Amino acid sequence: DSALFDFYDGTGDYQETFYINSSRVFYSWDPGHTFGYPSLQDYSGNPGGVNFEDEWIFISYGINDTSNELTLYVGCQSSLDAAVAASGATNWDYDGLGTLLPVDEYGLYKETASVTITEASFDQFIIGQNADGVTVPEGARCQIGMVGVFGVVLGDAQVVANWVGSRSTYYIT
């Protein structure tokens, strides 16, 4: 597995670790949840398929301990292109085989998972590695760009603003 980031409460209890697993899908360690975004692999062998191995991918991940929800937003050049071509929200054929993924008018996929969050106090945020990087090393096997850590759950409008405002940094037009 590839740990993108981890929250640590100082007790040895690692919570809300956000991973890309061995199947290349996004998931949360605790609470355990596998997200529905497709596997980050190369679909470009199919007409119109995206190569996720060669795309900058925007991720916004929210943990709301009040409502017991995890929210994931994902966008990339190809999903943005699909929304622009459709002049709005669309079902994006990301693999070129007719498998559809809903994206909004900005090309963002959004998924909210209802979970039970048992720990909401953290004293460390670890990026690119799980908190226990010594006995269980799970470093990120990808490049990680800009990171923002917010003390509040971001609303849709702020996530969209972050996506729009950061795209040019990664040559997403």
Side-chain angles (χ1 to χ4, degrees):
D1 294 346
S2 179
L4 298 179
F5 53 82
D6 198 354
F7 296 89
Y8 180 60
D9 68 0
T11 67
D13 194 14
Y14 311 106
Q15 303 287 335
E16 283 80 27
T17 307
F18 186 61
Y19 285 96
I20 298 173
N21 71 14
S22 58
S23 298
R24 297 184 181 182
V25 297
F26 296 114
Y27 80 99
S28 168
W29 171 255
D30 184 9
H33 178 76
T34 301
F35 290 92
Y37 198 80
S39 177
L40 302 177
Q41 57 186 327
D42 184 0
Y43 300 98
S44 65
N46 305 321
V50 64
N51 181 359
F52 284 119
E53 296 174 352
D54 195 30
E55 292 240 3
W56 282 101
I57 299 173
F58 170 88
I59 300 167
S60 180
Y61 181 64
I63 302 168
N64 188 332
D65 63 312
T66 302
S67 62
N68 281 304
E69 293 178 332
L70 303 175
T71 303
L72 175 69
Y73 300 81
V74 184
C76 63
Q77 180 70 63
S78 295
S79 63
L80 175 61
D81 290 346
V84 169
S87 298
T90 190
N91 288 313
W92 171 39
D93 179 10
Y94 68 89
D95 65 359
L97 296 173
T99 308
L100 302 178
L101 187 73
V103 295
D104 68 12
E105 64 269 28
Y106 302 99
L108 285 174
Y109 168 82
K110 178 184 177 185
E111 179 179 344
T112 300
S114 294
V115 296
T116 301
I117 297 173
T118 58
E119 176 64 72
S121 299
F122 308 103
D123 57 14
Q124 293 180 42
F125 172 76
I126 296 121
I127 184 166
Q129 177 66 48
N130 61 316
D132 179 12
V134 177
T135 59
V136 185
E138 297 171 324
R141 295 184 197 112
C142 58
Q143 299 296 319
I144 297 176
M146 291 188 291
V147 174
V149 179
F150 300 88
V152 297
V153 177
L154 301 181
D156 291 344
Q158 185 60 58
V159 172
V160 167
N162 292 349
W163 161 235
V164 170
S166 66
R167 289 192 307 226
S168 64
T169 302
Y170 300 103
Y171 307 102
I172 296 172
T173 57

